[in-house]
Amino acid sequence: VGYTNAGKSTLFNRLTGADVLAADMPFATLDPTAREVTAASGRRFALIDTVGFITDLPTHLVAAFRATLEEAMEADLLVHVRDIAHEDSEHQANDVYAILEQLAQETGADRPPIIEAWNKADAVAPAVRSVLSTSASGHSPPALLISAMSGDGVDGLLQTIERELYASRRPRQVLIVAADGRARSWLHDNVEVLSETMADEINLAVEAAMSDIDVSRFISAFPDARVR
Ligand SMILES: Nc1nc2c(ncn2[C@@H]2O[C@H](COP(=O)(O)OP(=O)(O)OP(=O)(O)O)[C@@H](O)[C@H]2O)c(=O)[nH]1
Ligand SMILES: [Mg+2]
């Protein structure tokens, strides 16, 4: 996610080798695109490019963008791409966070965790770059200085994405009512199911590899299930 023109599609292309239109114009991306990325460890995840966030969307465009932006609330991790060379970079970031908060409220979902990609590092003077690099290292949410165009810093970003995605992922024991097909389908659709056994006459014990994010999602959808 990120402000329009921040370099989302350029980064997407660099990470996926895809040829999504990256152009120096607003709304270059009208359709979200998902591609599979293989990290250095061999683990795979889906990366989704989104439309740009902008403060005053023309009304007729809002509806079309809405679904895509709401979809972002279902992500396991948001990569907030920022044009760090832009004079209004801070304002743009604040606008993006305001829109994310609004989407979270409207969808009733928790905002996914975020990392920031401070893009266009090649477009700032070396002295500025080193200052930015220092502030990125202590930044919350985690921030990485990159150039999607030259590829500088992109490997580090990929490692951070992977670390954030899998940090809390471990086998969990989930207890659901065996007759509840929806809870079982959710697990099969969203996480890796390792084993399934009947715990007693009624309950199914499912062992599944889940992150903390997966667990909170699952519990909010199925409050009666037990996870440990
Ligand atoms: N100098 C420099 N330019 C970049 C970099 N990344 C992207 N750009 C340029 O910024 C412009 C916008 O890039 P896009 O990737 O289309 O940006 P976007 O965030 O996908 O834009 P929307 O889809 O309109 O929201 C293009 O002209 C890119 O070539 C970078 O790392 N350095
Ligand atoms: Mg784009």
Side-chain angles (χ1 to χ4, degrees), residues 85-153:
H86 198 286
E87 55 180 6
D88 280 334
S89 192
E90 287 295 326
H91 267 120
Q92 294 182 342
N94 290 339
D95 284 350
V96 168
Y97 282 116
I99 292 169
L100 288 174
E101 281 313 317
Q102 196 186 330
L103 287 168
Q105 277 181 15
E106 285 173 19
T107 58
D110 286 340
R111 195 196 69 185
I114 285 200
I115 60 177
E116 293 189 4
W118 290 3
N119 191 35
K120 310 199 186 182
D122 60 283
V124 297
V128 176
R129 204 178 308 146
S130 83
V131 171
L132 286 172
S133 165
T134 307
S135 44
S137 64
H139 199 267
S140 172
L144 285 104
L145 192 57
I146 66 157
S147 168
M149 191 173 260
S150 74
D152 278 353

Side-chain angles (χ1 to χ4, degrees), residues 2-11 13 21-30 49-53 81 83 119-123 146-151:
Y3 210 81
T4 191
N5 216 48
K8 298 178 296 298
S9 296
T10 307
L11 178 63
N13 289 346
L21 179 66
D24 201 357
M25 57 186 226
F27 313 121
T29 304
L30 287 162
D49 190 18
T50 68
V51 297
F53 290 22
V81 182
D83 179 349
N119 191 35
K120 310 199 186 182
D122 60 283
I146 66 157
S147 168
M149 191 173 260
S150 74

Side-chain angles (χ1 to χ4, degrees), residues 131-205:
V131 171
L132 286 172
S133 165
T134 307
S135 44
S137 64
H139 199 267
S140 172
L144 285 104
L145 192 57
I146 66 157
S147 168
M149 191 173 260
S150 74
D152 278 353
V154 170
D155 284 348
L157 176 66
L158 192 53
Q159 282 166 21
T160 305
I161 292 173
E162 199 186 1
R163 199 183 58 222
E164 295 289 318
L165 278 178
Y166 296 106
S168 61
R169 194 169 180 267
R170 58 180 169 81
R172 320 266 181 161
Q173 311 302 324
V174 185
L175 204 61
I176 54 176
V177 175
D180 186 354
R182 284 191 317 121
R184 185 167 173 258
S185 307
W186 189 100
L187 292 168
H188 281 271
D189 289 346
N190 290 280
V191 299
E192 188 187 351
V193 173
L194 304 168
S195 69
E196 290 179 302
T197 44
M198 285 305 289
D200 50 47
E201 313 250 291
I202 301 166
N203 294 298
L204 184 69

